[in-house]
Amino acid sequence: MGTIAITGSASGIGRATRERLEADGHRVIGVDLHDAEVIADLATPEGRDAMVAGVTEVSGGVLDGLVAGAGVSGVPGPLVASINYFGAVATLEGLRPLLAAGTDTSAVAISSNSTSTQSGVDLAVEAACEAGDEAEARRLAEADDTGVTVYPATKMALAHWVRRRAVTDDWIGTGIRLNAIAPGFIDTAMTAGLRDMVFELGDVYPIPIDRMGRADEVAGLLAYLLGPEAGFFVGSVVYMDGGTDAAVRADDWPSPRPD
């Protein structure tokens, strides 16, 4: 059994994952704004520093797993950019040394299927995120009051960050498996009240399974990716969305490598 840190542990997918991992016998260190071992606000540099310091202290400097799960939607764009991308990257970078000290370690970031199924993604915000320019990303995101176009941009940038870093000496070179998941429409507090609207979108956002996903289902996937049976997963982005991505982009992937 190992010690696993989860950001966003107090609700939604994070809470379900905590419950699953604890039921499996793991020790979980939660990070959130409340009801967690480490209280920290990942929207700010000071909060990110507090997160790293707190997890380091509580864990004794050793982690066997990490879920970078803290995320928001339905709030102003600048906050979405700061938490979903810069907070997640600070989590992964800041806690990587603790993972390097662990055993058979794995880290998973929560991206989203909106990266490939939603139109109108703000690619300028995505580019600013990938450039590491938080001030510019926040400036560009100011026009989005609800984070509708910024949300998939941040999750796309995060998925790219994971794939680029996963294969490097800092990650798999030190024995740390790094992957991401891309959930679809999951029944959590963050999606409360959106069910009817989403299902009314029809072919714009189809869900072939004809239901919302459950947080415990996502927790099961995360538990698998954190475990030894997922030992050959490196740099993967695993979709779990009831068939939405396949329904709208069946022929886009796989695609041949350019000559």
Side-chain angles (χ1 to χ4, degrees), residues 66 145 180 232:
L66 170 63
D145 291 337
F232 207 54

Side-chain angles (χ1 to χ4, degrees), residues 12 40 111 115 118 138 141 156 215-216 234-235:
S111 179
T115 60
Q118 182 175 323
R138 287 180 61 89
M156 183 183 297
D216 67 287
V234 177

Side-chain angles (χ1 to χ4, degrees), residues 128-216:
C129 287
E130 295 198 21
D133 191 339
E134 185 170 3
E136 178 66 2
R138 287 180 61 89
R139 185 190 70 80
L140 291 168
E142 285 179 356
D144 186 354
D145 291 337
T146 61
V148 172
T149 61
V150 172
Y151 181 86
T154 61
K155 293 297 189 176
M156 183 183 297
L158 180 59
H160 289 164
W161 190 95
V162 165
R163 285 180 58 77
R164 289 170 182 149
R165 292 344 185 260
V167 296
T168 65
D169 290 343
D170 283 345
W171 287 90
I172 197 58
T174 57
I176 309 167
R177 292 179 286 112
L178 175 62
N179 296 285
I181 65 169
F185 191 40
I186 308 300
D187 188 6
T188 67
M190 193 168 72
T191 60
L194 298 177
R195 184 188 186 282
D196 290 345
M197 182 193 74
V198 170
F199 278 95
E200 287 172 0
L201 291 173
D203 291 341
V204 175
Y205 186 86
I207 306 177
I209 202 171
D210 199 31
R211 68 170 175 86
M212 298 173 73
R214 301 192 310 272
D216 67 287

